[in-house]
Amino acid sequence: MSAPVLRLEGVRKAFRQGGWWQRRTVQAVADVSLSVMPGETLALVGESGSGKSTVARLALRLLAPDAGRIWWGEREVSGLSARALRPLRRHVQMVFQDPYASLNPRMRIGEAVGEGLLIHEPGLSRAERRRRVAAMLEEVGIPADAHDRYPHEFSGGQRQRIGIARALILRPRVLVLDEPTSALDVSVQAQIIALLLRLQREHGIGYLFITHDLALVRWVAARVAVMFAGRIVEEAPVEALFAAPRHPYTEALLLAQPAAHPRARREETVPAAEAPPADQGCPFAPRCPHAREDCRRQMPPFIEEGARRFACWHPRP
Amino acid sequence: MLVFDSLRIEVRRQGRWVEAVSGVSLAVPPGRVVGLVGESGCGKTITAQAALRLHEGTGVRVAGGDIRVDGRSVFAMDEEALRRLRGGLVAMIFQEPMTALNPVFTIRAQLLEVLLRHHAISRTEAEARAEALLREVGMHDPARVLASYPDALSGGMRQRVLIAMALAGGPRYLLADEPTTALDVSVQRRIVDLLRRLQKAHGLGMLLVTHDFGLVAELCDEVAVIYAGEIVERAPVGAIFDDPRHPYTKALLACRPETSAEPIPIPGQAPQPGAWPSGCRFRDRCPVAGRACESPPPWVALDQERGVRCVREAGS
C-alpha cells in the first residue's frame, strides 16, 4: 500500500481573540488526525466555526501548529521555516472558495496560472512556460486566448477553472479544496465537480475536500471525516456513514439534510439546542439528545471499528 | 390570490433596455407554496421583487403585464397603498439577513416600526406583540433579542428576526428569496421547519424563489421552472421529481447529488438578458435539441396542472 500524500497527527491550533482588556484563547483545532492517500478524496465536513478551514491552513502550512505533526508525503513539515517550506510547496496546492477574490484582478490569466512555474521552475524559457500554461488551461476547459485576458472577463465558473489550473500547473500530489463550489450556481457546481473528478482520475492527485454540503460528499469522496468544535468526531467510508452514522452529531447532520423528494419530507424534527460546545467532557454533549452524565465528565476516546472510527461514549446502533 | 399576469420586465444594459422576463404568468393562492426555480440570471428574483415594486429606481422596469394582489393591480397603487401593501398584505424575506436589517437600530426599534405602521395599536401593545412574534419564530429569550443589535445575533437568529418582521404586518402572502442559502445545514433545517409551520398556521400563500431542489422538495406544493426569462415547465411538486418533462428541468435535477448518482453538468451557462438565442432559449445547452427548436417552442398544456414549453411535447 502506498503512503499518504498528506498526514496530520494530533494537530492543535489556538487563536487569541479580543484586545488586552479581555484576552481569551479560542481552540480552533483541538486535536485532528487525518490522512489523504494518492488519488483519493477525504471529505472534511463541518459547520461554520468547526475549525475545518483552520485545518486547511494547517495542512498547507500557512499556519504553524501549536502541537502535533504534519507530513507532506514522507517529509515532515510541522516545524519547517517559511524558507525551508518554499521548495516543497509545489506538492501541496490550494483551491479557494471564492473565485472572485482568489485571482488578482490586475494580473493576466497567463501570468496568474504561470506564476508557480516562475518560482518553482525558473529555468523554463518564456515560450516553454507559455506552452505549459496553454496546455493547463486547455485541460480545465478554458480557451487558449484567455492567456492575455483579465479575471473580470470570466464568469465565476470559469474563474474557478482558472484557479484549478493555477493550482495544478505544478503537478501537486495533494490539492486542498476549501468549499470550492459553494459560491457557484448548481449547474456550474456540477461542471466543476465533474472536472475535479476527471483531473483526479487522470493524475492521481489526493484531495482534501472541505465542505459543509454533506450531499456533495457522495459525489466526490470515498471517505468522510466529520468535524465538530475543533475535533474529528467520526470518520468512515462514505456509504457506511450515510447508511448508519455512529456519532449523534453525524446523525443530526444527516437528519438536517433537505429531502431528496417531496415524499421523503420529514415533519418537524426536534430542534437541537443551539448551545455552545462544552469545555469539559464531550464537546457535543450540550446539544446531544443522547448525552448522559458520563459524557459531561470526560472526553470520549476514539473507538475503531473496521474502516471507521468515532469518539462517543454512547454511539448510535 | 397573488397573480403574475404575462409579466414583462426589462433591465438597462449599456444604455439600452433589454428584456429580462418575457411574459411570466403565475398564481399563488393563499395556503399554497409555489416554487420559482432556476439558475441565477434567469429572472426569478426580479419577478418576485416586482410584486412589491422593489425594482423601481434600480435600472429595471416593467414593460408589460400586471401583478395583482387579491384583485388589485400593484402597478396602479399610489404611494400610500403601496406602503400599506409592503409588509402588510405581502411580505418578503431575503437571502442575506444581515443586509435586510439596519445595523444601527435595535431589533425592538425595527420590529416596533413595522408593527406600528401596519396596526392601530399602542406602543405597549406593540411591545407585547413583538415579544409574542419572537416567541412564535422560536426565540427562547425575546427580551434579550429585542434589546440586541443585528450584529450581536447569529445568522440563524437574524433570519428568524426577519421572519418575525415579515409576519408583523399580518401578511397573506410571503415572498421568500433563497431564505436559507447563507446558513449552515442544521440552521437551514430549523428555518425550513419554521417556515413550513408558519405557512400552515397562517394559511400563507408563498412564492419561494430558489435554485435548490432540496428546498423545493421540503416546502413546495407546485413548481414553476424558469429559464432565460420564461417559464419552461409547471407542475405539482411530485411530478417535477417523478416525471420532469422539460430538458432543462431534467438537467437541473442531474446537477445535484440528492437527485443524481453522478454529476451530469449542463454545458455552458445560463445566458444573460440580451444574449438569448432565437427559437428555444435553452437549445444551445440542450442535449436533445434539433431543427424544430430553431423556432420558438409552444406552451403545451399536458393537463389542468401541468404544462411545458418544449416542441418535443407538442403534437403527440
Side-chain angles (χ1 to χ4, degrees):
Chain A
M1 205 172 138
S2 51
V5 283
L6 173 70
R7 189 149 78 91
L8 275 65
E9 192 66 58
V11 167
R12 297 169 62 86
K13 183 74 191 175
F15 295 110
R16 261 206 287 278
Q17 272 192 350
W20 52 267
W21 64 93
Q22 50 151 199
R23 186 159 292 179
R24 60 191 190 104
T25 56
V26 174
Q27 194 69 44
V29 174
D31 177 10
V32 164
S33 302
L34 58 81
S35 60
V36 178
M37 303 301 285
E40 188 214 58
T41 299
L42 173 68
L44 186 61
V45 175
E47 298 175 43
S48 46
S50 61
K52 56 192 197 301
S53 290
T54 306
V55 170
R57 288 159 68 203
L58 287 162
L60 289 157
R61 270 306 323 273
L62 299 174
L63 287 174
D66 297 338
R69 302 170 73 184
I70 301 169
W71 291 265
W72 291 347
E74 305 284 300
R75 185 73 185 265
E76 184 174 354
V77 296
S78 358
L80 295 189
S81 66
R83 191 192 173 85
L85 282 169
R86 199 170 303 139
L88 304 175
R89 287 204 176 278
R90 63 177 309 165
H91 301 305
V92 184
Q93 292 286 313
M94 165 108 189
V95 175
F96 296 92
Q97 173 177 4
D98 185 353
Y100 293 91
S102 58
L103 291 171
N104 181 342
R106 275 187 284 276
M107 205 183 245
R108 291 174 205 271
I109 300 306
E111 296 170 69
V113 173
E115 203 180 14
L117 291 177
L118 220 51
I119 297 162
H120 292 280
E121 296 181 32
L124 280 186
S125 74
R126 213 183 147 80
E128 180 61 11
R129 201 165 58 238
R130 201 178 165 101
R131 201 192 55 75
R132 289 268 295 269
V133 169
M136 192 66 239
L137 285 173
E138 193 195 332
E139 209 179 335
V140 299
I142 293 291
D145 70 349
H147 199 280
D148 295 313
R149 289 157 68 191
Y150 289 94
H152 75 262
E153 298 173 58
F154 296 88
S155 68
Q158 287 173 317
R159 284 186 217 198
Q160 201 54 300
R161 287 171 191 270
I162 293 165
I164 292 167
R166 183 178 149 89
L168 289 189
I169 196 151
L170 295 166
R171 299 283 171 227
R173 283 180 255 156
V174 196
L175 206 53
V176 176
L177 303 121
D178 192 1
E179 304 267 12
T181 62
S182 64
L184 304 172
D185 233 319
V186 275
S187 63
V188 182
Q189 181 179 68
Q191 290 173 3
I192 298 294
I193 297 293
L195 171 68
L196 287 170
L197 292 176
R198 173 168 66 77
L199 291 168
Q200 183 173 53
R201 259 195 323 272
E202 287 169 5
H203 302 290
I205 317 162
Y207 289 165
L208 177 61
F209 192 101
I210 296 172
T211 180
H212 69 277
D213 185 350
L214 205 46
L216 213 51
V217 168
R218 288 204 132 139
W219 272 354
V220 299
R223 278 191 306 135
V224 53
V226 178
M227 241 185 123
F228 180 80
R231 295 169 196 273
I232 289 172
V233 296
E234 179 162 10
E235 185 182 340
V238 169
E239 287 314 318
L241 186 110
F242 275 82
R246 301 302 303 276
H247 197 285
Y249 177 63
T250 315
E251 186 181 44
L253 274 186
L254 287 170
L255 283 173
Q257 293 293 301
H261 191 287
R263 266 196 307 275
R265 220 175 256 187
R266 273 182 298 270
E267 284 316 312
E268 196 148 344
T269 41
V270 186
E274 282 181 64
D279 294 331
Q280 207 200 338
C282 173
F284 187 60
R287 287 168 63 176
C288 183
H290 312 290
R292 296 182 213 164
E293 214 24 67
D294 48 349
C295 304
R296 297 179 222 287
R297 276 200 300 271
Q298 210 183 348
M299 178 71 202
F302 265 111
I303 299 167
E304 309 248 355
E305 222 182 57
R308 68 199 293 171
R309 59 183 179 130
F310 45 88
C312 181
W313 290 117
H314 307 288
R316 309 304 299 144
Chain B
M1 192 119 83
L2 170 62
V3 175
F4 297 76
D5 183 1
S6 315
L7 184 70
R8 290 205 313 116
I9 296 177
E10 293 178 342
V11 295
R12 203 150 171 83
R13 287 281 152 86
Q14 276 127 26
R16 60 189 191 96
W17 291 100
V18 293
E19 194 162 80
V21 173
S22 323
V24 160
S25 295
L26 267 179
V28 184
R32 300 278 285 176
V33 183
V34 179
L36 186 58
V37 182
E39 291 166 86
S40 36
C42 282
K44 55 194 199 301
T45 292
I46 47 174
T47 298
Q49 287 178 344
L52 289 173
R53 283 167 59 186
L54 295 172
H55 62 283
E56 290 177 358
T58 59
V60 177
R61 72 178 183 193
V62 169
D66 200 4
I67 300 175
R68 287 183 297 275
V69 181
D70 293 342
R72 288 186 65 199
S73 166
V74 169
F75 303 115
M77 287 181 184
D78 60 23
E79 283 298 311
E80 175 56 25
L82 186 62
R83 213 174 56 83
R84 272 185 283 119
L85 178 77
R86 288 180 181 164
L89 201 51
V90 183
M92 181 150 190
I93 47 178
F94 299 90
Q95 178 176 158
E96 211 345 283
M98 195 57 205
T99 48
L101 289 166
N102 190 328
V104 303
F105 292 107
T106 59
I107 302 303
R108 170 180 285 105
Q110 301 187 54
L111 199 45
L112 288 193
E113 201 250 299
V114 186
L115 283 163
L116 292 169
R117 184 182 346 143
H118 291 287
H119 305 284
I121 51 174
S122 73
R123 228 189 133 73
T124 329
E125 283 172 301
E127 284 268 353
R129 232 186 258 193
E131 278 208 33
L133 274 171
L134 289 180
R135 276 221 175 76
E136 192 177 3
V137 298
M139 300 286 203
H140 301 298
D141 189 358
R144 192 181 67 80
V145 175
L146 283 173
S148 305
Y149 287 89
D151 70 355
L153 303 176
S154 69
M157 284 172 87
R158 280 182 215 138
Q159 196 57 288
R160 283 171 199 269
V161 166
L162 275 188
I163 294 169
M165 282 172 71
L167 293 177
R172 295 191 69 197
Y173 304 99
L174 190 61
L175 308 166
D177 190 354
E178 303 277 15
T180 62
T181 314
L183 305 169
D184 265 323
V185 267
S186 48
V187 184
Q188 269 184 27
R189 157 63 51 185
R190 288 184 214 120
I191 298 294
V192 165
D193 286 343
L194 175 66
L195 282 173
R196 188 191 297 144
R197 178 156 55 76
L198 295 173
Q199 184 268 331
K200 289 214 170 96
H202 296 261
L204 298 172
M206 184 160 136
L207 181 69
L208 177 70
V209 171
T210 185
H211 68 268
D212 179 356
F213 271 106
L215 206 54
V216 170
E218 289 287 349
L219 288 172
C220 293
D221 300 307
E222 305 162 34
V223 180
V225 179
I226 185 168
Y227 185 78
E230 277 181 333
I231 290 179
V232 296
E233 180 159 10
R234 174 174 317 154
V237 67
I240 280 286
F241 285 86
D242 290 333
D243 180 27
R245 294 295 184 88
H246 198 284
Y248 180 59
T249 313
K250 293 179 193 177
L252 271 185
L253 285 164
C255 281
R256 278 298 298 170
E258 295 89 344
T259 37
S260 176
E262 54 177 324
I264 307 166
I266 317 178
Q269 51 185 319
Q272 292 300 303
W276 296 332
S278 62
C280 173
R281 293 173 184 177
F282 186 57
R283 74 184 162 103
D284 54 357
R285 299 174 79 194
C286 181
V288 292
R291 289 297 302 271
C293 308
E294 288 167 22
S295 12
W299 177 259
V300 184
L302 299 168
D303 58 44
Q304 278 283 342
E305 297 177 292
R306 298 202 61 176
V308 59
R309 192 181 304 281
C310 180
V311 71
R312 293 165 60 86
E313 298 285 339
S316 53

